Amino acid sequence: MGAIERSGYRFEPEYSVIEQNGAIHVYNKGQFVEELKFSFSGKYPELNQIEQLINEYCEQHGI
């Protein structure tokens, strides 16, 4: 799963199958902004779940 870019922001997801959790690291112009934590079930998080988290973040921050 690669990085997703939106309006100059870069969202880099990473996850642990063993711990069933993950995080999306948010960058703006190469600078780290914050980390969005999430949990999931199964072998890996679904792309729809990650996209939904990114969409919510963008809406909340006017991106």
Side-chain angles (χ1 to χ4, degrees):
M1 201 172 296
I4 298 170
E5 294 193 29
R6 301 260 172 92
S7 300
Y9 283 78
R10 183 173 176 93
F11 300 87
E12 297 182 359
E14 65 177 46
Y15 59 92
S16 168
V17 175
I18 293 171
E19 295 182 25
Q20 296 285 282
N21 63 25
I24 301 170
H25 297 132
V26 182
Y27 295 89
N28 184 14
K29 299 177 183 170
Q31 296 282 26
F32 178 76
V33 177
E34 68 180 293
E35 178 179 77
L36 310 174
K37 295 183 180 186
F38 65 91
S39 60
F40 64 94
S41 60
K43 293 183 179 180
Y44 52 86
E46 301 218 7
L47 183 56
N48 290 342
Q49 178 186 12
I50 291 173
E51 287 180 347
Q52 181 63 35
L53 289 168
I54 292 170
N55 288 341
E56 289 174 6
Y57 180 88
C58 289
E59 286 178 20
Q60 291 172 357
H61 293 85
I63 299 171

